[in-house]
Amino acid sequence: MKNVLVTGGAGFIGSNFVHYMLENSDALIVNLDALTYAGNLENLEDVRDHKNYRFVKGDIRDKALVEQIFADYDIDTVVNFAAESHVDRSIVEPEIFLTTNVIGTQVLLDAAKRHWNLAPDDKYSREYKEGVRYLQVSTDEVYGALGKTGMFTETTPLSPNSPYSVSKASADMLVRAYNNTFGLPVVITRCSNNYGPYQFPEKLIPLMINNCMNDKQLPVYGDGMQIRDWLHVKDHCSAIATVLEKGRIGEVYNIGGNNEKANVNIVKLIISTMGKSEDLITYVKDRPGHDRRYAIDNTKITTELGWAPSYTFEKGIAETIEWFMNHRDWMNKIISGDYLNYYNKMYEQ
Ligand code: NAD
Ligand code: DAU
């Protein structure tokens, strides 16, 4: 791994991953990001001039630009984070989820195939080209929703329920097809809900922390008893690095930390940590088609690759709340722009 193309590196998980790689490897990190509402170069201000870091502003759907980046930097590894990532937005405006998440992935796969000189025959030799790897950052949402029991394993059938999760599942299928048809050395990771520094405040945890900081109501969807399986973003980054290094080509690896929590309990924990009142909780109309429960079985990545999460939820959430309290400028810049329009429209009821 010498020259790594990280797409969506100015977003929440991508920027944490750029930091992780610059601290833990000698690879050149080329960050391609379109800087949508979710992309923020302030997340990377401290590494802007790092000798192993380059930033290219652009769209993963731009074929000519992607080809140029492969050629200019002799890219041997791709980690594709770039996506529209918010379920609620996908319900309001699905189209961009399909173009970015599906077509964008296809453009990256095609550029990798061409630059790495892969042809259909490569697959049948069963010898994958050495030293190159495409990693697709997917999500547990492709598996759909669970009832009260059970967990998602890598063989759980895909059953995505929102336009967002459909777009991610479709991209996964394309990745699988490029492996099967062209011998592209791919791996797919499917992680549970992340939290941590630099998360955009449209997502549950930073939204609730921000509203608590401003003594605003805390909008809990439906009965608040939906369950998510939370993982600190730094543990997601270490898992991706582990899969890049040791994952078997063509395989899917689930990533999770066995940490299921009901939404309302998360909100109550944030309230008590921040010394606020539970009177701020407001139950609002439920998300249409809301998945009830997610839970990741992480046996494959822990036993086969030896990865384990390092954060307990208690430590991770306390650090995260502290991070947001200490980065009010970061938050204030975001919430003073388009975010306000989004928030008013989304939560007007
Ligand atoms: P995010 O919304 O915070 O960041 C997405 C980034 O992609 C932004 O920097 C944005 O500017 C960039 N981007 C969007 N469209 C682009 C395009 N067409 N070309 C180039 N860049 C573009 O998302 P996130 O929460 O950091 O998620 C990153 C990835 O991880 C996504 O693929 C998401 O599906 C996946 N994932 C997220 C979670 C989670 O809990 N957040 C969990 C599992 C998987
Ligand atoms: O599971 C992985 C997925 O986690 C990722 O693939 C997605 O990119 C990421 O956005 C996240 O999806 P969720 O829909 O689970 O995350 P979100 O933070 O939007 O919501 C978490 C839960 O909290 C969900 O059950 C909806 C609920 N919620 C969310 C918001 C924003 C509320 O009750 N109130 C809110 O205001």
Side-chain angles (χ1 to χ4, degrees):
M1 190 167 48
K2 297 188 310 282
N3 302 320
V4 182
L5 174 60
V6 173
T7 69
F12 162 47
I13 308 175
S15 60
N16 277 282
F17 186 72
V18 169
H19 281 114
Y20 181 93
M21 291 299 282
L22 293 174
E23 281 160 26
N24 293 286
S25 85
D26 292 326
L28 177 75
I29 307 297
V30 181
N31 172 14
L32 170 63
D33 196 298
L35 299 182
T36 67
Y37 77 91
N40 187 348
L41 285 182
E42 286 202 20
N43 301 358
L44 295 161
E45 191 53 35
D46 56 332
V47 296
R48 197 181 54 178
D49 299 322
H50 193 292
K51 67 179 174 29
N52 288 343
Y53 174 69
R54 306 283 182 280
F55 174 69
V56 181
K57 181 175 186 303
D59 197 309
I60 57 167
R61 294 166 293 183
D62 182 341
K63 283 188 213 171
L65 176 65
V66 170
E67 294 279 350
Q68 193 63 50
I69 291 172
F70 268 83
D72 287 352
Y73 295 102
D74 194 15
I75 296 296
D76 54 57
T77 305
V78 178
V79 183
N80 181 24
F81 291 97
E84 290 294 331
S85 68
H86 193 37
V87 174
D88 292 329
R89 289 185 193 253
S90 83
I91 294 167
V92 179
E93 206 177 333
E95 188 177 341
I96 184 132
F97 284 74
L98 294 176
T99 59
T100 290
N101 300 1
V102 186
I103 305 296
T105 296
Q106 187 266 329
V107 169
L108 293 169
L109 290 165
D110 233 30
K113 167 173 137 324
R114 258 197 300 280
H115 190 74
W116 298 341
N117 293 317
L118 302 172
D121 282 354
D122 291 347
K123 189 218 165 176
Y124 300 102
S125 73
R126 291 277 168 208
E127 283 172 20
Y128 287 106
K129 188 175 169 124
E130 295 272 324
V132 296
R133 189 69 58 102
Y134 178 101
L135 188 147
Q136 177 73 4
V137 181
S138 185
T139 167
D140 60 357
E141 296 201 12
V142 298
Y143 298 121
L146 292 164
K148 286 202 169 72
T149 58
M151 292 179 126
F152 298 133
T153 71
E154 289 80 357
T155 56
T156 301
L158 302 195
S159 189
N161 289 319
S162 71
Y164 163 70
S165 54
V166 166
S167 70
K168 294 296 290 185
S170 307
D172 286 9
M173 293 297 97
L174 270 173
V175 173
R176 182 177 175 278
Y178 270 69
N179 172 251
N180 182 64
T181 309
F182 304 111
L184 195 76
V186 306
V187 271
I188 296 175
T189 57
R190 295 188 180 138
C191 190
S192 58
N193 284 62
N194 284 213
Y195 67 97
Y198 305 116
Q199 188 166 29
F200 194 85
E202 64 189 348
K203 307 282 164 55
L204 180 76
I205 289 180
L207 185 145
M208 296 299 167
I209 295 173
N210 179 49
N211 283 16
C212 270
M213 286 195 296
N214 293 297
D215 294 308
K216 280 179 74 169
Q217 292 184 335
L218 307 175
V220 172
Y221 297 166
D223 64 2
M225 293 309 291
Q226 303 83 2
I227 289 175
R228 296 292 182 265
D229 188 353
W230 294 92
L231 185 74
H232 193 280
V233 64
K234 287 187 181 157
D235 284 329
H236 188 184
C237 293
S238 71
I240 289 173
T242 303
V243 173
L244 270 181
E245 193 195 340
K246 301 193 229 164
R248 280 181 295 137
I249 290 170
E251 295 289 318
V252 172
Y253 292 91
N254 282 353
I255 303 172
N258 295 320
N259 185 43
E260 290 181 53
K261 301 259 184 260
N263 293 338
V264 72
N265 293 336
I266 300 248
V267 175
K268 286 181 180 171
L269 180 61
I270 292 170
I271 290 172
S272 65
T273 309
M274 297 182 70
K276 301 289 175 175
S277 159
E278 287 191 10
D279 292 344
L280 287 175
I281 293 177
T282 310
Y283 290 90
V284 299
K285 197 166 143 235
D286 208 352
R287 171 185 282 174
H290 200 168
D291 286 339
R292 193 71 183 163
R293 174 172 166 257
Y294 303 146
I296 280 279
D297 180 338
N298 67 8
T299 308
K300 185 171 174 182
I301 189 169
T302 54
T303 56
E304 193 182 293
L305 306 187
W307 172 84
S310 64
Y311 277 84
T312 60
F313 186 69
E314 291 64 31
K315 175 175 183 270
I317 194 77
E319 273 188 30
T320 301
I321 292 171
E322 200 180 331
W323 188 90
F324 280 105
M325 306 266 282
N326 292 334
H327 290 77
R328 282 174 190 252
D329 282 356
W330 180 92
M331 182 66 91
N332 286 339
K333 277 186 202 157
I334 290 172
I335 62 176
S336 63
D338 282 349
Y339 178 78
L340 206 58
N341 294 334
Y342 163 82
Y343 192 90
N344 289 339
K345 208 161 126 190
M346 196 63 84
Y347 295 94
E348 65 193 356
Q349 291 163 336

